[in-house]
Amino acid sequence: MISMLRHRASRIAYLLILLPVFVTASVMASPAGQTGIPGRAATMFALLERYHIRTPADARTIVKPDLVKRDFLAAVDSSGFFLMKDDVDRLMSIPLRVDGLLSGDVVFFDATVITLRERLLQMQADPLLHNEKINEWPAWVEFHSGSDPSYTKTPTERRERWKKLLRHRMLLQAFFEKPDATVAEFQALLDKKGESYLAIARKRELARIQRKLEHPDGFEKSLSSLFLNIISSQYDPHTAFFSMSDRKMMEESLSARAMTYGFTISRSTGGEIRIERLIPGGAADRSGKLRKQDVLLLAELQEPAGVRQVHFADLSLDEADEQLSHPRSMQMTLTVRRADGSTDRVSLRKQKARSERNAVNGFLLKGSSRVGYIYLPSFYANWDSPDAPAFADDVAREILKLKRDGMQGLILDLRGNGGGSVQEALNLAGLFIDSGPFMVERQREGRPRLLKDPSRGTVYDGPLILLVNGQSASASEFFAQILRDYDRALIVGNTTFGKATSQVVLPLTLDDRILNRPQLWSQLNIDSLKLTVNVYYNLEGTSHQRRGVEPDIVLPEPVAPTEQSGEAGYPSALESDSIDRKIAVEKSGELPRSKLLRKSRNRMSDGRFGRMTQIAERLAPAFAPVERFSLEPQAFFEKMQGQWKDFEAMDAVLFEKSSEYTVVVDRAELDIEKMDPYRKEMNDFQRERIERDLYIEEGYRIMDDWL
């Protein structure tokens, strides 16, 4: 009935975050001045026919018009708050032909744009979202985790759905203002501030409607790019149509350096967006005017089209982060509220700084054994200078430092690593394997190509553990599979995502003078198409596509994966197949899997994992496909407080400080910390995380058993 994000314990998310970047669908529009849907669709189909891995003689046969229409309508109104059932039935009855799109028949798209704008304007003017007195509230609300919305039949039903949304937002804000209150205190807070909570909820929803109607790229243009993206995604989940700014955002997410205003944000229990911390040496820190816990009120963003205002009270945390990080805005004036209630305006310009999400740092876990630990965030590359050092070089540097400190074994943490550069995955594997074949690459045409170790020799040849989970995808899976083929590492955790493909981002043009010169692409202010061009196979000739790489030692998860999780959850995902090609390799020796598995399993029934499993069973309803909440204050509060206490208990188990080891950095790093406050702050944050991570602790114990 209603699809929305549910509140989750923030630190549990650390173990579950970082869905692969390739899953994200672009909804940004093409830059002004480009052709409309027919011209862009024609170029898109031509590129798909020429390059996509699964394209038949006629690329358009892959596109199923009814699926395109259904998915597009679900995308423009994902929770069924605007469109009504009659609207959807009427729009679904409009014929949609690919050939018609190319010749200018965009009746379905135009009708959807007109209908959606009309419904948005209706709700924008509805008294329910302004000052209408609400005397009677609905009794319950349901959350659906699926992406297929239901639609209301009458305006009365639609208003009832909106009432549920507003009531839930009111109750939720009251709860998070004081989650440890009693029922009586919660009711008193609701009686005292209920109208202000309602006003905030109304304001936020009106602002969201306004952002849809006044998209920076234009309402129709933003929808046209979404429409083309829906079509392209039918080829496979990772083929996507997106704008120049989206491509820049993707490259930045895979870069070791990024443009930033120099602060991170968080959301208070009361719903305010606050500065979580200032990055030492960054733009915010250099301004001398911003402080930790300042509340963000207004951002006046300087963009090519002029100044755009963003009110943070109207935004979720993800929306606020997206607005601040978007490459269209490089300068802003920020209005903040201080702890004493005063306000201030601060002008900031983005600066290039090391990306925290892609920082590679090595640490030594000192206990009964000396075990190196490196978190691998993504297989980033240096996009500006392809020949410059990148991810694998950074990892090699950290390994050498750990070896100087007497490291006996090494843990590489690939959890949440959504992939990146395939070449960097090969380069990284080469650090642990002397030489030989790595994997087989198949394109649409031609013979499969054998990819080999790009360099002879190793940087580290000792005991090695890879930590993986369901969000370890693409390049991180290639790396894990290569090391498995050579029996070079023990894989610990959960089955990986299941993406055995790679993509290329092409400018939306058929001009071979441009397509054959990649160095020109970043200079073009035109739309782009990301499309799948390769499938990969292990040395046995099989692919982990849709299946993932299974660990040698499985660890329990705080949340059970669904039956159709990972790549297998996408209807358009390529099937797993095999090739008639097996390549023998010389392995260094069989790993002690049975012994280590037995010892790890003996630890699973008690201790931290045992407690985690018990709490996970109590929390299972919170992650069910459908969850029902009473909107009666007492019942709502009691359910929320019960879940909140369980989340806090889970948080305590997952991030309890380990007694197995202490976390240290090498002496050279300590000297650097004295001169670089940013480096010290980053290292302190990482040290605390490593000391309190249940899965790192078990990785350490497994390595200790090994040694």
Side-chain angles (χ1 to χ4, degrees):
M1 224 175 160
I2 298 176
S3 291
M4 357 171 157
L5 294 176
R6 305 176 198 168
H7 286 264
R8 298 288 182 251
S10 60
R11 297 183 72 185
I12 292 179
Y14 163 71
L15 301 168
L16 307 171
I17 58 172
L18 294 176
L19 285 175
V21 296
F22 44 78
V23 174
T24 304
S26 166
V27 298
M28 300 302 297
S30 60
Q34 283 197 239
T35 59
I37 286 177
R40 290 187 289 165
T43 305
M44 180 180 77
F45 280 120
L47 291 173
L48 289 166
E49 289 179 7
R50 187 184 297 184
Y51 299 114
H52 194 276
I53 188 72
R54 73 182 290 179
T55 304
D58 181 1
R60 302 161 205 169
T61 62
I62 288 177
V63 178
K64 307 303 181 191
D66 283 349
L67 286 180
V68 170
K69 291 189 288 186
R70 184 201 67 185
D71 291 349
F72 182 58
L73 294 174
V76 300
D77 186 11
S78 60
S79 299
F81 281 114
F82 303 103
L83 297 176
M84 303 183 69
K85 189 174 186 307
D86 286 346
D87 296 330
V88 174
D89 290 344
R90 175 175 53 82
L91 293 169
M92 286 295 295
S93 70
I94 299 174
L96 175 64
R97 296 179 302 107
V98 173
D99 289 340
L101 281 179
L102 302 183
S103 62
D105 180 2
V106 290
V107 175
F108 165 77
F109 174 78
D110 286 347
T112 301
V113 171
I114 292 170
T115 303
L116 180 63
R117 180 186 280 117
E118 178 184 345
R119 295 307 188 196
L120 288 168
L121 290 171
Q122 283 179 357
M123 287 311 305
Q124 186 181 51
D126 196 309
L128 181 63
L129 294 184
H130 294 274
N131 298 314
E132 180 179 309
K133 181 70 174 176
I134 304 175
N135 296 316
E136 186 175 348
W137 290 104
W140 55 270
V141 64
E142 280 185 352
F143 298 120
H144 288 230
S145 58
S147 59
D148 188 12
S150 63
Y151 300 96
T152 54
K153 296 180 181 179
T154 67
T156 301
E157 283 185 14
R158 186 174 62 178
R159 282 170 56 84
E160 187 75 2
R161 181 169 291 186
W162 274 95
K163 285 183 182 179
K164 290 182 178 183
L165 172 66
L166 295 174
R167 181 62 167 174
H168 183 263
R169 293 277 167 85
M170 289 172 59
L171 293 171
L172 208 56
Q173 187 162 343
F175 174 79
F176 281 107
E177 189 160 321
K178 196 174 182 182
D180 57 350
T182 64
V183 171
E185 289 171 335
F186 176 73
Q187 183 64 63
L189 186 63
L190 198 60
D191 292 340
K192 180 181 179 181
K193 302 179 68 174
E195 287 302 315
S196 64
Y197 296 149
L198 176 58
I200 291 172
R202 283 168 160 165
K203 182 179 179 182
R204 286 178 177 169
E205 296 312 314
L206 284 169
R208 288 188 173 93
I209 294 173
Q210 190 74 8
R211 287 199 298 275
K212 289 177 182 287
L213 290 168
E214 298 182 3
H215 193 283
D217 297 309
F219 181 70
E220 183 172 348
K221 241 180 203 320
S222 66
L223 293 178
S224 70
S225 285
L226 174 59
F227 182 61
L228 291 172
N229 190 76
I230 294 292
I231 294 174
S232 67
S233 67
Q234 292 215 342
Y235 287 79
D236 75 279
H238 316 297
T239 291
F241 180 96
F242 53 93
S243 69
M244 175 68 177
S245 59
D246 286 316
R247 184 177 68 81
K248 286 294 186 183
M249 289 179 71
M250 182 186 70
E251 289 183 356
E252 188 170 287
S253 73
L254 298 176
S255 173
R257 301 185 70 83
M259 300 298 291
T260 173
Y261 287 117
F263 61 87
T264 62
I265 58 176
S266 62
R267 195 177 190 94
S268 71
T269 55
E272 295 174 320
I273 304 293
R274 295 178 175 177
I275 293 178
E276 183 178 42
R277 68 188 188 88
L278 303 178
I279 297 174
D285 183 37
R286 290 175 182 272
S287 75
K289 296 182 179 181
L290 293 172
R291 307 182 188 95
K292 184 177 178 180
Q293 297 302 310
D294 282 351
V295 176
L296 307 189
L297 301 178
L298 173 70
E300 297 166 271
L301 302 171
Q302 298 282 346
E303 297 182 345
V307 177
R308 182 167 61 90
Q309 291 190 342
V310 173
H311 296 270
F312 288 94
D314 305 330
L315 304 181
S316 68
L317 188 61
D318 287 343
E319 289 170 331
D321 184 63
E322 180 182 351
Q323 295 291 341
L324 292 170
S325 61
H326 202 288
R328 184 184 288 109
S329 168
M330 299 299 294
Q331 186 175 351
M332 72 171 174
T333 299
L334 185 65
T335 303
V336 298
R337 188 181 72 239
R338 310 290 191 195
D340 61 6
S342 63
T343 60
D344 198 1
R345 283 165 52 87
V346 183
S347 294
L348 297 174
R349 181 184 293 274
K350 281 183 180 175
Q351 298 177 358
K352 204 161 194 176
R354 186 174 183 182
S355 171
E356 294 193 6
R357 86 178 69 173
N358 285 338
V360 173
N361 292 313
F363 296 87
L364 194 67
L365 314 184
K366 292 181 65 176
S368 55
S369 300
R370 298 169 69 88
V371 178
Y373 170 84
I374 305 175
Y375 174 56
L376 308 181
S378 72
F379 287 76
Y380 56 80
N382 193 319
W383 298 97
D384 297 326
S385 304
D387 296 328
F391 175 68
D393 299 280
D394 290 345
V395 175
R397 181 195 66 239
E398 296 303 312
I399 291 174
L400 292 174
K401 286 166 37 177
L402 290 168
K403 287 173 68 175
R404 286 197 297 267
D405 284 349
M407 172 180 68
Q408 298 170 280
L410 176 63
I411 298 172
L412 297 180
D413 193 344
L414 290 153
R415 292 173 300 160
N417 184 319
S421 167
V422 174
Q423 184 59 50
E424 287 303 310
L426 300 177
N427 293 341
L428 184 65
L431 302 182
F432 307 99
I433 297 170
D434 186 9
S435 64
F438 276 177
M439 59 184 181
V440 178
E441 176 186 84
R442 178 177 68 83
Q443 297 180 334
R444 197 179 75 188
E445 299 174 354
R447 294 174 56 84
R449 183 167 68 105
L450 183 64
L451 302 180
K452 299 180 180 181
D453 187 347
S455 61
R456 295 187 63 88
T458 63
V459 171
Y460 175 74
D461 56 10
L464 178 62
I465 286 176
L466 307 184
L467 291 180
V468 299
N469 65 5
Q471 283 75 53
S472 304
S474 194
S476 60
E477 296 178 277
F478 301 152
F479 173 67
Q481 185 63 62
I482 292 168
L483 267 60
R484 161 162 287 172
D485 284 345
Y486 278 86
D487 236 4
R488 183 61 193 86
L490 190 75
I491 302 175
V492 176
N494 302 105
T495 302
T496 62
F497 190 83
K499 178 179 181 287
T501 61
S502 68
Q503 290 69 41
V504 64
V505 180
L506 299 176
L508 200 70
T509 178
L510 299 178
D511 189 336
D512 288 332
R513 293 172 298 178
I514 295 175
L515 291 173
N516 294 330
R517 299 179 65 188
Q519 65 271 24
L520 296 178
W521 296 354
S522 62
Q523 305 170 27
L524 302 174
N525 191 29
I526 61 175
D527 292 332
S528 299
L529 181 68
K530 177 162 68 77
L531 68 164
T532 299
V533 293
N534 298 314
V535 179
Y536 296 90
Y537 303 84
N538 65 16
L539 300 180
E540 291 289 319
T542 61
S543 172
H544 62 264
Q545 173 65 17
R546 289 179 66 98
R547 298 184 293 109
V549 178
E550 296 183 359
D552 300 303
I553 297 178
V554 177
L555 301 182
E557 293 183 274
V559 179
T562 63
E563 292 184 5
Q564 292 296 315
S565 57
E567 182 83 354
Y570 295 97
S572 62
L574 301 178
E575 295 293 336
S576 179
D577 65 347
S578 60
I579 56 174
D580 187 18
R581 186 170 186 177
K582 291 188 178 182
I583 302 163
V585 297
E586 184 177 344
K587 300 182 180 182
S588 56
E590 188 174 350
L591 300 177
R593 290 184 175 87
S594 298
K595 180 189 78 170
L596 299 178
L597 175 60
R598 184 176 64 255
K599 290 189 173 184
S600 180
R601 281 181 174 173
N602 289 338
R603 289 190 288 267
M604 293 301 101
S605 59
D606 54 17
R608 293 173 71 185
F609 275 105
R611 285 181 283 150
M612 183 197 78
T613 302
Q614 292 175 358
I615 300 167
E617 291 175 355
R618 297 199 301 268
L619 279 172
F623 295 94
V626 179
E627 186 179 16
R628 188 181 178 99
F629 270 92
S630 170
L631 295 177
E632 187 277 320
Q634 179 174 340
F636 175 88
F637 178 79
E638 289 174 347
K639 178 169 183 174
M640 281 297 301
Q641 192 172 65
Q643 285 189 355
W644 184 255
K645 288 180 178 179
D646 283 338
F647 276 124
E648 286 190 320
M650 178 69 82
D651 192 57
V653 170
L654 291 174
F655 299 96
E656 177 184 297
K657 188 170 183 178
S658 175
S659 59
E660 296 288 323
Y661 53 80
T662 56
V663 182
V664 297
V665 295
D666 66 280
R667 289 187 296 274
E669 186 70 18
L670 288 174
D671 291 337
I672 294 174
E673 287 183 356
K674 293 176 183 177
M675 299 180 290
D676 187 347
Y678 171 72
R679 189 73 160 260
K680 184 178 187 309
E681 185 170 337
M682 280 286 295
N683 285 343
D684 287 345
F685 173 78
Q686 293 278 34
R687 274 190 286 252
E688 182 178 4
R689 178 183 66 83
I690 296 166
E691 287 175 349
R692 295 180 179 277
D693 190 305
L694 170 60
Y695 293 87
I696 297 175
E697 181 184 76
E698 180 59 20
Y700 176 87
R701 286 175 166 175
I702 293 170
M703 181 63 78
D704 194 42
D705 292 338
W706 191 346
L707 298 172

